[in-house]
Amino acid sequence: MNEAIHNISEQEKEALKFLERDFNQCFQQMRHHDTQIFDILKFMFTAYTVLIGAALGIFKANLQVDFTMPIIISLIIGLILGAFMFYLVLINRSYYVRVSRYINEQRKLFLALKPFGFENTSRMYIDEKQPYFSRESSQIWLAYIIGALNSTLLGVLLFIVLASYSYKWLIVIGGGLAFLSIQLVIVIKYLKSQESKSKTISEEDKG
């Protein structure tokens, strides 16, 4: 390997330096996207706990002033923000996979030279075709959890809006499950659409 390095041209040496810098920056970017997904979940869990607790506490309290409408508005705003956070997680997952593929492609290139006789028999982190959607991905499960939080918030909203309705529990549970199912479908459809888009771009580049 050392002999191969000495035989490369100055232009190739500069290209190697560029790839090294690019690798380091992309690795930091990949970690940023991964960390941001966890931070979004932590923020939503804390905010939703406070919002739901306050909404139900005030709604159940026997106060002289009716706070039902402000509670409903607060829950709707929270639900809109939750939907935005859910979409932001999907965006971050998409960026994470794109950068990971690029990093793994570089690893695959250099590890093919078997530096110091390193075989990489575990085949670790060299998959340049890492899927956007994977049931084993912790990021996907975090997206599911965020979807469940959004569904819970919708359930609380329906519970308050339909407080005097006799079949409210049926609507609350059904509405929450339906909303959760819609979000799960969105996760799968969106990430698989990114996969298709990526394949289309690769085929155009080859053409």
Side-chain angles (χ1 to χ4, degrees):
M1 179 181 175
N2 291 332
E3 183 179 352
I5 292 177
H6 287 303
N7 291 335
I8 64 177
S9 65
E10 289 298 322
Q11 185 177 8
E12 288 172 326
K13 288 180 181 180
E14 290 300 320
L16 284 174
K17 291 179 182 179
F18 168 79
L19 285 176
E20 180 183 4
R21 292 192 300 268
D22 204 32
F23 180 91
N24 292 330
Q25 292 176 4
C26 286
F27 193 85
Q28 293 177 8
Q29 183 181 359
M30 183 183 69
R31 292 183 62 183
H32 167 73
H33 292 308
D34 187 48
T35 302
Q36 194 169 43
I37 293 175
F38 281 93
D39 289 342
I40 289 172
L41 177 61
K42 289 188 291 185
F43 168 77
M44 287 188 64
F45 184 81
T46 302
Y48 275 26
T49 300
V50 173
L51 180 59
I52 292 173
L56 291 177
I58 296 173
F59 181 73
K60 288 292 185 179
N62 295 322
L63 301 177
Q64 295 180 351
V65 181
D66 186 9
F67 288 99
T68 302
M69 189 54 63
I71 291 173
I72 291 175
I73 293 174
S74 298
L75 292 173
I76 291 175
I77 293 174
L79 198 56
I80 293 173
L81 291 176
F84 173 75
M85 292 295 183
F86 177 77
Y87 180 68
L88 190 59
V89 166
L90 296 184
I91 293 293
N92 272 277
R93 170 64 184 178
S94 177
Y95 288 155
Y96 174 87
V97 172
R98 195 175 305 169
V99 176
S100 295
R101 287 181 171 186
Y102 178 70
I103 289 176
N104 289 350
E105 189 175 359
Q106 287 196 32
R107 283 199 183 104
K108 186 176 182 179
L109 171 65
F110 287 102
L111 290 178
L113 300 174
K114 298 182 180 179
F116 304 105
F118 180 67
E119 296 287 345
N120 190 27
T121 54
S122 64
R123 312 297 295 171
M124 190 173 185
Y125 302 135
I126 59 171
D127 183 12
E128 76 278 10
K129 295 181 180 179
Q130 177 181 344
Y132 281 88
F133 175 77
S134 172
R135 291 182 176 86
E136 291 77 26
S137 171
S138 60
Q139 295 175 348
I140 302 298
W141 284 100
L142 291 177
Y144 290 164
I145 293 173
I146 291 174
L149 290 174
N150 285 336
S151 299
T152 301
L153 192 64
L154 176 62
V156 174
L157 176 61
L158 293 174
F159 174 79
I160 293 175
V161 172
L162 304 172
S164 58
Y165 192 66
S166 56
Y167 296 100
K168 65 179 179 180
W169 283 113
L170 181 62
I171 298 176
V172 168
I173 296 174
L177 291 176
F179 189 46
L180 177 60
S181 299
I182 290 172
Q183 291 175 96
L184 298 187
V185 171
I186 289 174
V187 171
I188 298 172
K189 292 291 186 181
Y190 176 80
L191 293 178
K192 287 191 174 181
S193 71
Q194 295 300 303
E195 192 75 58
S196 300
K197 187 185 299 183
S198 176
K199 289 180 180 178
T200 301
I201 293 174
S202 298
E203 290 173 357
E204 290 177 351
D205 290 340
K206 290 180 181 178

